[in-house]
């Protein structure tokens, strides 16, 4: 469950390979996001044009239209956070790593 920074969009996920994008003011389902990596365990809505999720050892990046833009293979299930400018994701468990969402490259490993 995550809301957009402006508060107009809500994204939910459950025990499935789908996430749902809702209009906050209308309460209507706007689109369904599909995960090719299985169950979506966490979500974030960027300030820009992306919805980011974690599933099956990958970080998935969709555009607001629901098209899957990028898959970053990060290993086992992990939590993540987006940078304030939405360009980077910090992904971690006991250590972590810093990823460039645009290029898909891992920039730093925190051991």
């Amino acid at each position: 469950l995550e809301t957009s920074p402006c508060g107009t969009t809500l994204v939910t996920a459950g025990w499935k390979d789908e996430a749902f994008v809702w209009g906050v003011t209308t309460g209507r389902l706007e689109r369904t996001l599909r995960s090719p990596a299985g169950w979506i365990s966490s979500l974030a809505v960027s300030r820009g044009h992306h919805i980011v999720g974690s599933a099956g050892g990958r970080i998935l990046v969709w555009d607001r239209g629901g098209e899957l833009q990028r898959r970053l293979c990060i290993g086992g299930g992990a939590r993540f956070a987006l940078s304030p400018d939405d360009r980077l994701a910090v992904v971690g468990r006991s250590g972590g790593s810093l990823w460039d969402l645009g290029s898909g490259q891992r920039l730093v490993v925190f051991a």
Side-chain angles (χ1 to χ4, degrees):
L1 173 66
E2 183 71 26
T3 58
S4 63
C6 63
T8 59
T9 302
L10 173 70
V11 183
T12 62
W15 295 95
K16 296 179 77 175
D17 59 353
E18 299 173 324
F20 304 98
V21 181
W22 304 88
V24 170
T25 58
T26 65
R28 293 186 181 177
L29 179 64
E30 293 180 353
R31 71 192 55 79
T32 300
L33 307 176
R34 310 255 185 244
S35 166
W39 172 62
I40 300 169
S41 60
S42 58
L43 291 162
V45 182
S46 76
R47 296 182 192 285
H49 304 287
H50 296 97
I51 297 169
V52 182
S54 174
R58 290 173 172 70
I59 295 294
L60 306 172
V61 181
W62 293 272
D63 65 20
R64 291 285 180 104
E67 291 293 320
L68 185 62
Q69 300 293 303
R70 183 168 306 283
R71 289 181 249 195
L72 308 177
C73 188
I74 57 166
R79 298 289 184 202
F80 67 93
L82 299 177
S83 64
D85 63 4
D86 299 324
R87 295 180 349 170
L88 305 173
V90 177
V91 180
R93 288 179 298 265
S94 59
S97 54
L98 181 67
W99 292 80
D100 181 306
L101 292 177
S103 70
Q105 294 194 6
R106 183 170 51 194
L107 304 173
V108 177
V109 175
F110 307 104

